[in-house]
Amino acid sequence: MSSKSYGMVCPITHACEILEPRWTMPILTEMWAGNTRFNDIRRSVGNISTALLSRRLRELETHGLVERREDPVSGQVEYHRTPAAVDLEPALHALAEWAQRNIEARDALRDMDVSTLMWKMRSLILPEELPHRQVVIQFHFSDPDLSYDTYWAVIRPGHTVEMCSDIPGFEIDLYVETSKVSLTSVLLGRSTVSREVEADRMHLMGDAALSRSMQDWLSISEYAGRSGIRLLDVSGSEAVQS
């Protein structure tokens, strides 16, 4: 990791030497969320190359934060946090709460990669809050210069949520017209579905019951609703304190 020590007698700088290199903390965060396989970690983290992810995982293993486990029969490799990495959870919690309170909403949301967002949406849609049948939801993003601007979520009872970038060939129950800032602001608790609709930044068409219950069938960040959180305001250009 860091090739040159800070040269300071301070526990914080010792931690920084291990945790500062780019992508290190997002990798640990995604592993905290339950991702253990290389490709799942890569897709959840976002714009990281396979070579860099491999290097960071090796470094974390060297520092005793990650354990590499290989199944001798299948050859499948998984990466698991060690107790030392688990001990970082309070620090990660504190960083998340600090960001929610001190970083303006638009600054926190504008760099979200849409493909990464939609990959995460597989675990952010709550099937138990939807009708007990197949539900297909189309998400269309108004942001310019996207590689893909339309995705389809297919939710079926007893199956994991599928996210498609090709038309799945099923009847669509709900159309969600949005932007990456608008949808992410809802997921992170910086706004709500109703506020985004009222501000004309999100449009819902199709099944009325699905539209009304969207806030319920999305898994909202545990850091939403905290005192002092900076919200996306009606104009979408500034943040206000809750």
Side-chain angles (χ1 to χ4, degrees):
M1 289 190 177
S2 178
S3 59
K4 185 177 181 180
S5 171
Y6 284 103
M8 298 172 63
V9 182
C10 172
I12 293 176
T13 59
H14 297 161
C16 288
E17 288 177 355
I18 295 174
L19 300 174
E20 265 187 351
R22 184 168 171 80
W23 299 112
T24 300
M25 293 185 73
I27 290 168
L28 289 172
T29 300
E30 291 307 324
M31 294 180 70
W32 181 16
N35 290 305
T36 60
R37 297 183 182 179
F38 186 92
N39 285 334
D40 289 341
I41 296 171
R42 180 181 60 81
R43 294 200 66 174
S44 296
V45 168
N47 299 322
I48 185 173
S49 69
T50 56
L52 182 54
L53 177 56
S54 293
R55 184 159 72 250
R56 289 288 178 265
L57 287 169
R58 286 196 302 271
E59 291 167 346
L60 288 168
E61 197 176 354
T62 298
H63 284 282
L65 295 175
V66 168
E67 179 186 358
R68 183 181 185 275
R69 302 177 188 172
E70 182 173 354
D71 187 310
V73 177
S74 66
Q76 179 176 291
V77 174
E78 291 188 345
Y79 298 88
H80 294 265
R81 295 181 304 153
T82 66
V86 173
D87 280 349
L88 280 168
E89 288 182 11
L92 296 177
H93 263 304
L95 282 172
E97 293 200 350
W98 179 89
Q100 290 284 80
R101 292 191 180 107
N102 294 283
I103 299 178
E104 289 194 358
R106 181 158 290 276
D107 290 338
L109 302 171
R110 64 185 176 187
D111 292 329
M112 167 59 71
D113 179 78
V114 169
S115 63
T116 301
L117 171 62
M118 299 314 289
W119 172 259
K120 288 179 177 292
M121 283 291 287
R122 298 176 312 136
S123 61
L124 298 178
I125 293 174
L126 304 174
E128 64 272 17
E129 299 295 335
L130 291 167
H132 194 68
R133 60 174 173 82
Q134 177 172 287
V135 175
V136 181
I137 304 168
Q138 176 180 296
F139 295 88
H140 179 260
F141 292 86
S142 59
D143 306 88
D145 303 322
L146 297 176
S147 298
Y148 295 96
D149 62 9
T150 307
Y151 296 80
W152 293 266
V154 181
I155 306 100
R156 294 178 292 170
H159 294 76
T160 58
V161 175
E162 298 176 56
M163 192 62 65
C164 312
S165 57
D166 296 315
I167 300 175
F170 302 124
E171 181 179 348
I172 297 170
D173 298 283
L174 181 66
Y175 295 83
V176 180
E177 298 285 329
T178 187
S179 68
K180 60 184 182 181
V181 167
S182 179
L183 182 57
T184 308
S185 71
V186 173
L187 296 171
L188 292 183
R190 301 294 193 115
S191 188
T192 63
V193 171
S194 61
R195 290 180 79 241
E196 292 307 291
V197 170
E198 290 170 8
D200 205 32
R201 293 192 295 260
M202 180 180 289
H203 303 275
L204 307 178
M205 294 157 285
D207 189 301
L210 292 178
S211 297
R212 288 193 302 270
S213 62
M214 184 172 176
Q215 189 76 32
D216 298 324
W217 52 258
L218 287 178
S219 178
I220 307 303
S221 169
E222 64 181 290
Y223 302 106
R226 303 294 178 90
S227 175
I229 186 173
R230 298 178 72 86
L231 303 176
L232 194 68
D233 75 358
V234 175
S235 70
S237 61
E238 298 178 355
V240 295
Q241 293 284 351
S242 66

